[in-house]
């Protein structure tokens, strides 16, 4: 698992299936840690300065990040390109004032 990858996320006990982008560092993503950091990819533009388009998949909002349980990641869907990952990095820094 690498930063910028898109995965199907299927929380047990929830009928809701979603796509998430991994935003935690590769060191965390490749470790045995059970929790990663990610953000949901949504279909519609949230119309917010912190929203980044993810080509062919929708939008990710840098203000809507959370813990992702590794065991509920079911299938790698794709990966964002370098330009999108850089835009997401910029939006994350803005959201957290880093």
């Amino acid at each position: 698992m690498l930063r910028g990858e898109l995965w199907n996320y299927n929380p047990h006990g929830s009928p809701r299936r979603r796509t998430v982008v991994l935003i935690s560092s590769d060191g965390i993503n490749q470790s045995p840690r059970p929790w990663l950091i990610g953000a949901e990819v949504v279909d519609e533009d949230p119309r917010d300065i912190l929203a980044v388009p993810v080509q062919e998949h929708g939008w990710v909002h840098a203000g809507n990040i959370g813990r992702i349980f590794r065991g509920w990641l079911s299938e790698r869907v794709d990966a964002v390109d370098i330009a999108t990952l850089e835009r997401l990095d910029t939006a994350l820094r803005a959201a957290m004032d880093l």
Side-chain angles (χ1 to χ4, degrees):
M1 293 181 182
L2 299 171
R3 189 168 196 279
E5 288 184 341
L6 301 167
W7 282 78
N8 286 331
Y9 189 61
N10 304 316
H12 291 276
S14 173
R16 187 168 176 230
R17 307 256 189 276
R18 52 193 169 144
T19 301
V20 297
V21 60
L22 298 180
I23 57 176
S24 44
S25 71
D26 286 341
I28 289 176
N29 295 336
Q30 294 173 354
S31 77
R33 291 173 180 256
W35 294 97
L36 309 175
I37 300 170
E40 182 175 4
V41 178
V42 296
D43 293 332
E44 294 186 29
D45 181 355
R47 300 194 184 278
D48 189 285
I49 195 167
L50 297 176
V52 175
V54 177
Q55 195 170 31
E56 299 179 19
H57 296 284
W59 295 81
V60 62
H61 191 284
N64 190 21
I65 64 174
R67 290 183 352 149
I68 303 294
F69 181 60
R70 182 187 303 270
W72 293 345
L73 293 168
S74 63
E75 178 182 9
R76 184 185 182 276
V77 176
D78 201 351
V80 300
D81 59 37
I82 292 170
T84 300
L85 192 54
E86 288 173 356
R87 289 186 68 196
L88 182 55
D89 285 346
T90 300
L92 288 163
R93 284 191 298 275
M96 294 182 259
D97 196 26
L98 298 175

